[in-house]
Amino acid sequence: MLFGALVALVLGCTPSHPQSTFDTLGPVAKSQLNLFAIIFWIGLVVFIAVEVGVVFVAIRFRKKKDQEGEPPQTHGNNKMEITWTVIPAIVLMLIAIPGTMTIFDNLVSPQPPEEGGMLIEASGRQWWFEFVYPELGITTANEMRIPVGEVINLDLESRDVIHSFWVPKLAGKVDMVPGNENKMWLQANETGEFFGQCAEFCGVAHANMRFRVIVMNRPDFDLWVAEQAAEALEPVDPLVQAGAELFTGPQAGCSACHTIQGSRRARGKVGPDLTHVASRLHLAAGIMNNTDDSGNLNESTLQSNLRSWITDPEKIKPGNIMSRDGAVYNGGQPANLNEEQISALVAYLMALK
Ligand code: CUA
């Protein structure tokens, strides 16, 4: 048990850990880490001073060998009482100044949307994240792509229970509360993929409510925006057409919950927008990886992930709403579809690039 705890502790402190708050890559997370350092070192000094005092008193006033009964008792000492009130008050003020400054720095965006900063509306759902870029006409899920070195303004909301938006390397967590829009901003100083995680217990699949922030160079980001803003292509291949029919038809019923821009019948708002699902590097709120070792999308991995996910989502992400409420899953069972039907659905989703 002790060994297990030690291993967890050591692994948890590795600086290369993808969710380490000690390896910051943006100004917001950096300022929060600096604040942590200030409070930690002041706290350490106080701790040492108090412990030294305790040990000193325990030794200095211990019971002597020849001592009878209780030692002399004293009550009230104005000098000491004033000292131990004033010193902590000063320490608290020392902590409050940088603390308050950091709170306001993190609250006020250096480039709000009114001044041209990018705006993303992030909303938490049981158990996935939706990202809407209102100025760009893009909706995506579980994958927030942003340009490197730019201020990103986030409006945070929830459609069901309280969630919390957290990308440890970029910014501290902020709650997503139904009926109350919280705001935050962040900026990433390096390209790459950053782990995000819901940080507020929100029900059975909370631990599987993850997302990624993918930080790109401006030209790559613009290219991605152009692709995402386009409507889905009309299916031409017969298998893809069969998949599209199933998607909107009564047997699979996918379109009751999922939107596909360009399809007149797929307008559901319960699950993620799937217009460009085949461009996503992860499925099922960040728990299925569709990439190769170098982080690029791997078509055959995506294909087999889609197949596993459609076939039995309950096995992959227990408690998810799709396998609970989708009629084709009959309350958490594997899909009531044959192999050919699943192949057709996979082919259709693979065509949504
Ligand atoms: Cu959403 Cu925890």
Side-chain angles (χ1 to χ4, degrees):
M1 228 275 291
L2 196 67
F3 178 73
L6 200 68
V7 168
L9 192 71
V10 170
L11 290 180
C13 293
T14 312
S16 66
H17 195 278
Q19 303 207 94
S20 170
T21 49
F22 291 97
D23 180 21
T24 61
L25 291 168
V28 175
K30 181 93 190 124
S31 71
Q32 290 163 346
L33 181 62
N34 289 341
L35 180 63
F36 168 80
I38 293 169
I39 294 173
F40 175 80
W41 289 113
I42 292 178
L44 192 68
V45 170
V46 170
F47 174 77
I48 291 171
V50 169
E51 289 309 304
V52 166
V54 167
V55 172
F56 171 78
V57 168
I59 294 173
R60 172 77 177 72
F61 299 105
R62 72 190 187 282
K63 192 175 180 184
K64 309 283 171 0
K65 264 187 197 133
D66 53 352
Q67 193 177 309
E68 296 278 325
E70 278 192 354
Q73 303 290 304
T74 43
H75 291 283
N77 184 324
N78 284 346
K79 236 189 257 174
M80 285 176 79
E81 280 170 22
I82 289 171
T83 310
W84 71 51
T85 305
V86 170
I87 292 179
I90 293 172
V91 170
L92 287 180
M93 274 195 290
L94 283 178
I95 291 175
I97 294 166
T100 314
M101 281 167 62
T102 307
I103 288 172
F104 280 99
D105 272 357
N106 290 176
L107 208 62
V108 181
S109 165
Q111 194 187 13
E114 308 84 71
E115 291 168 26
M118 183 179 291
L119 174 67
I120 300 176
E121 292 164 2
S123 93
R125 316 281 190 91
Q126 284 175 317
W127 287 275
W128 57 282
F129 289 90
E130 182 178 72
F131 299 107
V132 177
Y133 299 64
E135 297 132 346
L136 304 173
I138 291 176
T139 301
T140 185
N142 306 317
E143 204 169 282
M144 185 175 97
R145 299 204 181 214
I146 58 172
V148 68
E150 295 186 24
V151 172
I152 309 297
N153 301 283
L154 286 160
D155 284 354
L156 304 174
E157 53 177 59
S158 167
R159 305 281 168 89
D160 37 49
V161 299
I162 301 179
H163 303 275
S164 185
F165 181 94
W166 191 28
V167 193
K169 290 195 175 196
L170 298 181
K173 51 191 87 153
V174 178
D175 278 358
M176 310 173 101
V177 183
N180 178 64
E181 195 180 88
N182 281 339
K183 288 177 187 298
M184 68 184 285
W185 70 276
L186 53 79
Q187 180 184 322
N189 290 340
E190 269 181 35
T191 57
E193 198 181 295
F194 301 95
F195 280 67
Q197 169 85 48
C198 177
E200 176 71 43
F201 181 71
C202 54
V204 62
H206 157 70
N208 283 328
M209 185 172 167
R210 306 176 206 167
F211 64 104
R212 299 292 195 285
V213 175
I214 295 165
V215 184
M216 312 168 89
N217 291 315
R218 230 325 153 168
D220 293 341
F221 178 76
D222 290 339
L223 209 64
W224 176 78
V225 168
E227 284 165 6
Q228 298 291 311
E231 290 191 339
L233 297 175
E234 276 292 314
V236 262
D237 181 274
L239 188 65
V240 175
Q241 274 175 347
E245 282 298 314
L246 258 173
F247 192 91
T248 49
Q251 195 187 354
C254 315
S255 59
C257 297
H258 295 286
T259 286
I260 290 174
Q261 301 295 344
S263 156
R264 256 175 299 123
R265 290 196 283 165
R267 314 302 304 171
K269 293 286 175 207
V270 178
D273 184 307
L274 297 179
T275 309
H276 297 286
V277 65
S279 71
R280 292 186 195 146
L281 304 181
H282 306 87
L283 288 181
I287 60 176
M288 295 183 104
N289 203 342
N290 307 326
T291 59
D292 57 23
D293 292 338
S294 49
N296 296 316
L297 188 74
N298 183 313
E299 296 263 316
S300 64
T301 313
L302 171 66
Q303 191 171 25
S304 74
N305 282 346
L306 279 170
R307 175 169 279 274
S308 316
W309 176 246
I310 293 169
T311 306
D312 193 357
E314 187 64 20
K315 204 165 111 188
I316 292 161
K317 191 177 166 191
N320 77 85
I321 304 283
M322 182 166 83
S323 57
R324 189 191 73 189
D325 292 352
V328 72
Y329 297 108
N330 194 20
Q333 301 301 307
N336 186 21
L337 299 168
N338 62 37
E339 289 295 311
E340 291 82 63
Q341 289 172 314
I342 289 179
S343 296
L345 275 177
V346 170
Y348 176 51
L349 295 175
M350 288 294 291
L352 299 173
K353 291 195 195 310

